[in-house]
Amino acid sequence: MHIHIFWDSGSPEGLQMPVARKISAVLGVPSSVSENHVRMMGYVVGRRQIDAQALLDSVQTYKHRHGISDPVLLVVNQDLFRNGNSFVFGLARQVVGAAVVSTARLGNEYYGRPADDDDLIDRITKEGAHEVGHLLGLDHCENGECIMFRPDTLDELDRKKKMLCPACSASLAEHLAGE
């Protein structure tokens, strides 16, 4: 198994490799980064956001056309939403092995704070590993420090550690062993 990370051209440059290495370290699965070739679908002009479900449809189509069976994580700069949520940091569709993460609300600048690449790498890593964790069979976790905890705010995301709790780690090992 291998995690394909597609980095969209609008996403912050120079962070691809540190994020990929850290996601691999958290999940114990090798990854690679390449330029995004997935068609960006689902932009809603009135919201100035992309419908994450529509974007995952595009990733699913791309995977099918190119015979990709491994998990794909798409990193985009555009703000995402899904029905029922005014925004989402990311979203996964386990059944097709596709996930998307937006950097739009992960940077300090969005909150009026000074830019910090280390903070941004940390947050993209946590959200990316979380979404890929779903693709690998993991559910949300109640442990607020576990990578599989579902954050609703940036502060909750920042409190998470870049690691799985013991229960989620054991669950991932079972899922990976059953491939």
Side-chain angles (χ1 to χ4, degrees), residues 32-162:
S32 62
V33 180
S34 61
E35 181 182 334
N36 175 39
H37 295 287
V38 174
R39 189 166 179 214
M40 299 294 285
M41 302 289 291
Y43 185 75
V44 178
V45 175
R47 295 181 70 124
R48 291 196 259 177
Q49 291 177 297
I50 291 181
D51 180 342
Q53 296 283 20
L55 191 49
L56 287 176
D57 290 343
S58 290
V59 177
Q60 180 177 349
T61 299
Y62 184 88
K63 284 186 67 174
H64 178 73
R65 284 189 182 152
H66 295 277
I68 300 171
S69 59
D70 289 329
V72 169
L73 171 65
L74 173 59
V75 178
V76 300
N77 188 44
Q78 295 87 348
D79 199 21
L80 301 173
F81 78 96
R82 70 179 267 187
N83 289 339
N85 298 98
S86 60
F87 79 93
V88 291
F89 293 126
L91 190 65
R93 188 177 292 161
Q94 182 180 358
V95 69
V96 296
V100 61
V101 168
S102 167
T103 62
R105 295 176 190 248
L106 298 180
N108 285 341
E109 306 88 335
Y110 185 87
Y111 305 93
R113 302 174 189 166
D116 185 321
D117 281 350
D118 289 336
D119 286 347
L120 187 54
I121 290 167
D122 188 65
R123 292 171 184 148
I124 297 169
T125 297
K126 289 175 182 177
E127 189 60 25
H130 174 94
E131 299 305 343
V132 172
H134 286 311
L135 303 183
L136 300 177
L138 298 178
D139 294 320
H140 285 137
C141 180
E142 295 298 317
N143 181 337
E145 294 183 344
C146 179
I147 207 73
M148 294 310 298
F149 177 77
R150 181 179 164 253
D152 290 320
T153 66
L154 190 70
D155 288 337
E156 288 178 344
L157 180 63
D158 285 344
R159 279 193 292 272
K160 289 178 20 169
K161 296 188 183 212
K162 289 186 296 286

